Amino acid sequence: MLPRLSPASAKDVVRALVPPALLALGKEARRRVRGAAHTWEYVPEGWAERPTASAPRGWNVSTIPTLHARHWREFAAAVEPPHPLSVAPEHAVNPTLAVGPYSDVDVYTHHVAMTVAYALALAARGRTSLSVLDWGGGVGHYALLFRALFPDLTVEYSVRDMPAMTAEGRRLLPTATFYDDDTCFDRTYDFVVSGSSIQYAQDWQEALARLGRAADGYLFVSQIPMVHHAPSFVVIQRPYDNGYNTEYLGWCFNRPAFLEAARAAGLTLEREFLHGFKPDVHGAPEQPEYRGYLFRPTAP
């Protein structure tokens, strides 16, 4: 019997045997069959209502938590020492990291893990326990990361996400508290984190202000696309290659405007982070880059 290849190994074999030009044609053909020529695309009309038949399906779909659950045990093993922290919920673990070179995706996910670890370490200074709200936290991957990195810290971990995510999260992580509504804001937390989430809120200014009010200590907003000159604009993402089988709208933020909104919400910038991911957005007035921001609520 032939050995079963992991998703990552199978892709490596295909890349080795198929010429790059044919790989590119194959990807383009798959996108066109799905009715989408571009994974990322500028939406000039912004966050306008669309006919039901053409409206993005959004995040509340079963394919995303199902995919995350499939990789759950693999993710949990990969964050344990001494492995490099280059894993993401939607990606199978790269099996070649210990014996071969890493990819741009590995570097990006490593940056993401280490920056949120830095932010949590600041929030946890001098403490033996910490309350955490993970806004947009999916099925709860950060709980596994925090447990692996800070085994002596007791983390009271809460997640706010869509119903499809929280239902799977309660099954995978029964020790955490999952919210599919805004009752998560009925209290405050020592540390609030929002990873790759706030750009998917249509009223992002209100979302940012609300997250700031929920943070007693630090607010870490990470993995958000930034531009430096163009006004904030909307894109549509079609992450079919990740296995999500959905589409969703999101913001690319003008950096000065985003930081001004944070200041107006009573947040003081402690540190800015570079994540090293620059998506190619078809038709965009400016190409974004992903960054992160660590804030502290301004003392009254």
Side-chain angles (χ1 to χ4, degrees):
M1 180 181 292
L2 292 175
R4 183 181 178 185
L5 294 176
S6 70
S9 299
K11 288 181 180 178
D12 290 340
V13 171
V14 172
R15 291 191 188 102
L17 297 177
V18 180
L22 288 181
L23 282 176
L25 285 174
K27 288 182 178 180
E28 185 67 14
R30 289 199 303 273
R31 289 170 183 157
R32 290 188 181 278
V33 167
R34 293 181 175 116
H38 302 282
T39 302
W40 294 70
E41 189 169 2
Y42 173 54
V43 180
E45 66 270 27
W47 217 290
E49 292 293 328
R50 296 181 173 209
T52 302
S54 62
R57 285 171 285 181
W59 283 91
N60 193 33
V61 295
S62 62
T63 53
I64 303 176
T66 297
L67 180 66
H68 290 186
R70 188 183 309 147
H71 294 159
W72 180 258
R73 290 186 179 179
E74 191 177 17
F75 183 96
V79 298
E80 292 296 328
H83 307 301
L85 295 173
S86 54
V87 288
E90 66 271 20
H91 299 140
V93 175
N94 182 347
T96 68
L97 282 174
V99 295
Y102 48 78
S103 71
D104 290 344
V105 171
D106 295 320
V107 172
Y108 166 59
T109 52
H110 184 269
H111 282 355
V112 169
M114 296 310 296
T115 54
V116 73
Y118 170 81
L120 183 77
L122 283 182
R125 283 182 301 182
R127 297 173 177 266
T128 58
S129 63
L130 199 73
S131 59
V132 174
L133 172 63
D134 189 349
W135 191 81
V139 298
H141 289 86
Y142 274 171
L144 303 183
L145 179 65
F146 296 160
R147 187 185 304 160
L149 290 175
F150 303 94
D152 297 327
L153 180 68
T154 299
V155 176
E156 180 200 342
Y157 183 76
S158 299
V159 174
R160 165 68 167 105
D161 214 302
M162 297 291 184
M165 290 285 201
T166 58
E168 190 64 46
R170 293 184 186 104
R171 185 184 72 83
L172 293 170
L173 194 66
T175 57
T177 301
F178 286 86
Y179 297 90
D180 55 20
D181 59 28
D182 285 341
T183 56
C184 63
F185 292 118
D186 290 348
R187 54 165 293 188
T188 58
Y189 305 83
D190 301 317
F191 180 60
V192 176
V193 58
S194 172
S196 191
S197 297
I198 198 167
Q199 62 264 42
Y200 304 114
Q202 183 173 358
D203 188 354
W204 64 268
Q205 295 95 335
E206 172 57 25
L208 182 62
R210 207 166 191 187
L211 291 171
R213 292 193 295 270
D216 278 337
Y218 287 89
L219 166 63
F220 184 48
V221 183
S222 74
Q223 301 175 73
I224 50 178
M226 288 286 172
V227 295
H228 299 275
H229 306 292
S232 299
F233 57 88
V234 176
V235 301
I236 186 168
Q237 290 175 249
R238 304 179 180 98
Y240 306 134
D241 287 344
N242 284 339
Y244 279 8
N245 194 30
T246 188
E247 315 81 21
Y248 34 75
L249 298 176
W251 290 101
C252 287
F253 299 112
N254 173 271
R255 179 180 174 276
F258 183 85
L259 293 178
E260 174 56 28
R263 188 200 63 76
L267 297 169
T268 299
L269 179 62
E270 292 283 314
R271 189 171 292 274
E272 184 172 12
F273 300 88
L274 309 179
H275 288 313
F277 176 49
K278 299 178 180 181
D280 181 12
V281 181
H282 177 72
E286 182 180 349
Q287 292 301 319
E289 58 182 14
Y290 268 44
R291 296 192 175 210
Y293 298 89
L294 181 63
F295 298 106
R296 291 200 72 171
T298 304

